[in-house]
Amino acid sequence: MSPSRWLTEARGLRADLIALMSGAFTALALPPLHGLPVMLVAFPVLLAQINAAERAILAARRGWWFGFGYHLIGLYWITEAILFEAARFWWLVPLAVPALSAVLALFIALPAGVAWFAASGAGSAPGQRELRGSGGWSGDDDHQAEIAVTGAPRRAGAAQVMTLAGGWVLADLARQFVLTGFPWNPVGSIWAVPGRFGDVMLQPAALVSVHGLTLASIILACAPVLRWRGRGVCLAVLLAWIGYGALRIAAPAPPDQPLRVILVQGNVPQGQKWEPELRDAVFDKYLRLTDQAVREAGPGADVVVWPETASPFLLGATARAAISAASHGQPVLAGAVRFDAADRPRNTLFAVTGAGAAAAMYDKWHLVPFGEYQPSWAQVGIQLVPGGGFASGPGPETLHVPGMPPVGPLICYEAIFPGQVVNEAERPDWMVNVTNDAWFGTSSGPRQHLAAARLRAVEEGLPLMRAANTGITVAYDSRGHEITRIGMELTGFRTVTLPGPLPRTIFARLGLAMPGALALGVLGVGLLGRRRRNSGWPGMEEYTKNRSHPVP
């Protein structure tokens, strides 16, 4: 049996398993592996599975299994965080990632079901399959469906590819907001390859964000199912993509800003971070690294950046004075927990200046559900932060701190939300991302998180300075080019002259409306193309008549 026939004739649980494995295979293209060629296999298999389904609900079911495999492999690292609280949440270890993957898979099931309607051979025109009986969502009901093939079988075509890609991106946009949002591992992040190649391939994100990269990536991945004309269009898109990226990278860089940024990575293991007997040692470690870095930098304007919750103490006057002494009066952006007037804890970035003044504060506003707070829509008793959890801040802000250009802070998880990272009404000159990825060890999680931060720099056209507790600490310029880094589980600091910002990008001007409109347009063209092909093109009636009554 040929592979194509094996795929199209698979039914029930065997078809589900094929879809599951295809989705898991696709995850190999994500950071840090970047196995890009797998896309050219996995997406044609998904289309074959969609077109082998007798009903749209079965196509959605195949899409769900594909999405479940994709997220199951892509998000395996979440278990690492739960293991730190295994005494309380041991029962959650085998459940968390599958449960989350099952929910996220719904956002792939929907576009798969819609794409079923856009297959060549589908519709009311002669030559389609007729369904008699029923096929359901679960079990092997599709074995019971009786199919009468009166003409050409369903097959993938340009209209279906566009429908799948457009629907997928619209579902990703919904995933960014539904139930507070979790837009982790969009397909477009596969291009965040370290080095020059990744620099080039990420540049269109300045126009259409990572969502636009996802749209183009899915279309290109489906090229093997298209005819030569369609493949030629895909090649032209790829060449234009590379050309635009190369030209943008080759353009003159904006002048550097008159500031040196010192990024500090303390490398404190998560298991030691909050131990009472180790708090003094942890705080002193950051003070020593800061003092050493400022001394080595010499005279000049500097700002020191500590990671998220780097200080194990509340930053009262005494702690801030110690930080200011270690920095020799240079401003320090330091992550720490604080308690507000209502005695609620907040995940905060402090700007410590002068003799220890708190010149500005930024409170994290996009909190991690079940990690940093208990969502009102799911009171299930799972929360890593004790008490009532963190209170959230008001939203993206621009901090104005004496001695540095206006800065847009991002704390950890906030870096994964395209179009929601800076206050565009008061645009900063640079972004700072502080994070503590020690929760996830040396898994792929911190590297996927880093890829998201890099994409935000490209989308906004702003340099991004990133300080991570156990790594990866990185400095990116306004085109997402890496200037320096400190690797995983290393202790140290890096001093870098702050690159200049680019003019506001098209995506920064238009926001998520840009990829949303593009995806909606592609989806509409796909569905319209299907209708034209199957019900009304000149010559279609004669064509289908000949297909139904072949010449002897």
Side-chain angles (χ1 to χ4, degrees):
M1 181 182 294
S2 67
S4 60
R5 186 177 175 187
W6 182 74
L7 286 173
T8 57
E9 293 188 359
R11 295 290 184 272
L13 295 179
R14 184 170 65 132
D16 294 339
L17 181 60
I18 293 171
L20 172 70
M21 297 304 295
S22 298
F25 194 50
T26 306
L28 300 180
L30 293 169
L33 297 180
H34 298 288
L36 303 180
V38 306
M39 298 280 289
L40 297 171
V41 177
F43 274 88
V45 170
L46 174 60
L47 285 173
Q49 290 277 284
I50 290 172
N51 291 331
E54 289 83 7
R55 299 177 67 187
I57 192 68
L58 287 173
R61 168 174 153 178
R62 305 295 180 245
W64 185 90
W65 279 107
F66 183 95
F68 183 71
Y70 177 77
H71 290 297
L72 191 69
I73 299 301
L75 299 174
Y76 79 91
W77 47 268
I78 290 176
T79 303
E80 297 259 359
I82 301 171
L83 290 175
F84 282 105
E85 298 289 340
R88 285 195 295 160
F89 300 122
W90 56 268
W91 54 271
L92 192 59
V93 171
L95 300 178
V97 175
L100 178 59
S101 299
V103 174
L104 296 177
L106 295 173
F107 293 93
I108 296 177
L110 182 60
V114 173
W116 182 87
F117 291 100
S120 297
S124 59
Q128 73 173 69
R129 293 183 175 190
E130 295 178 2
L131 176 66
R132 300 170 185 167
S134 62
W137 175 267
S138 61
D140 288 324
D141 289 345
D142 47 345
H143 274 302
Q144 301 169 8
E146 183 182 348
I147 306 300
V149 182
T150 63
R154 305 174 64 87
R155 64 182 184 276
Q160 187 179 39
V161 168
M162 296 176 73
T163 301
L164 177 65
W168 189 297
V169 171
L170 291 174
D172 267 1
L173 286 165
R175 181 158 68 100
Q176 184 168 334
F177 293 96
V178 173
L179 301 180
T180 75
F182 188 66
W184 198 283
N185 282 344
V187 169
S189 67
I190 64 175
W191 301 104
V193 181
R196 187 74 172 182
F197 176 76
D199 289 347
V200 170
M201 300 307 292
L202 292 182
Q203 295 313 302
L207 304 174
V208 293
S209 81
V210 68
H211 294 302
L213 300 189
T214 295
L215 183 76
S217 299
I218 293 174
I219 292 174
L220 294 178
C222 295
V225 308
L226 299 176
R227 297 183 179 180
W228 288 109
R229 183 173 162 184
R231 293 177 188 178
V233 172
C234 287
L235 178 60
V237 169
L238 180 60
L239 292 176
W241 183 341
I242 294 172
Y244 174 80
L247 287 174
R248 195 167 190 268
I249 288 294
D256 291 338
Q257 302 183 66
L259 182 73
R260 293 175 303 191
V261 180
I262 298 171
L263 303 171
V264 181
Q265 181 169 305
N267 190 32
V268 179
Q270 186 61 34
Q272 301 177 14
K273 187 172 174 61
W274 300 108
E275 291 295 327
E277 64 274 16
L278 297 176
R279 287 186 298 177
D280 288 335
V282 170
F283 193 63
D284 288 345
K285 185 176 189 178
Y286 274 101
L287 295 178
R288 289 196 308 271
L289 288 169
T290 299
D291 177 70
Q292 181 184 351
V294 172
R295 289 179 184 276
E296 289 187 10
D302 300 314
V303 59
V304 181
V305 181
W306 288 11
E308 175 190 20
T309 60
S311 171
F313 299 110
L314 300 177
L315 288 188
T318 301
R320 296 198 305 270
I323 292 173
S324 184
S327 70
H328 302 267
Q330 302 282 17
V332 178
L333 299 177
V337 174
R338 76 177 183 93
F339 285 84
D340 59 22
D343 205 31
R344 289 287 305 278
R346 292 178 181 261
N347 191 345
T348 302
L349 184 67
F350 288 81
V352 180
T353 61
M361 291 184 295
Y362 168 77
D363 295 325
K364 183 178 181 181
W365 70 281
H366 231 139
L367 302 174
V368 181
F370 308 111
E372 294 179 313
Y373 80 108
Q374 185 74 210
S376 59
W377 41 266
Q379 297 289 327
V380 295
I382 304 169
Q383 184 177 295
L384 299 181
V385 175
F390 286 128
S392 63
E397 295 183 34
T398 299
L399 298 185
H400 297 271
V401 180
M404 72 175 76
V407 58
L410 299 170
I411 298 180
C412 188
Y413 176 73
E414 293 178 325
I416 74 171
F417 292 87
Q420 296 178 278
V421 293
V422 300
N423 180 1
E424 294 292 352
E426 192 181 3
R427 184 172 167 83
D429 289 338
W430 61 300
M431 295 183 289
V432 63
N433 177 211
V434 297
T435 186
N436 174 31
D437 289 350
W439 287 99
F440 312 115
T442 57
S443 68
S444 63
R447 294 166 175 85
Q448 293 169 359
H449 195 190
L450 179 67
R454 183 183 180 187
L455 276 156
R456 303 298 85 81
V458 179
E459 291 166 351
E460 298 294 337
L462 295 173
L464 185 144
M465 305 290 110
R466 186 177 198 261
N469 174 27
T470 55
I472 302 167
T473 292
V474 169
Y476 289 123
D477 70 10
S478 50
R479 296 187 180 103
H481 172 70
E482 183 180 309
I483 302 170
T484 188
R485 79 159 53 193
I486 307 174
M488 295 290 299
E489 297 189 330
L490 297 174
T491 301
F493 56 84
R494 293 288 186 273
T495 303
V496 58
T497 300
L498 182 62
L502 289 168
R504 187 174 300 191
T505 65
I506 289 179
F507 176 69
R509 293 176 185 275
L510 300 179
L512 294 172
M514 181 64 177
L518 182 62
L520 191 61
V522 169
L523 174 65
V525 170
L527 292 175
L528 180 62
R530 176 261 180 184
R531 289 189 63 186
R532 289 185 61 195
R533 183 181 59 247
N534 289 340
S535 56
W537 271 11
M540 179 61 73
E541 182 178 351
E542 182 66 25
Y543 170 78
T544 53
K545 183 174 69 175
N546 290 338
R547 292 282 299 193
S548 301
H549 304 283
V551 177

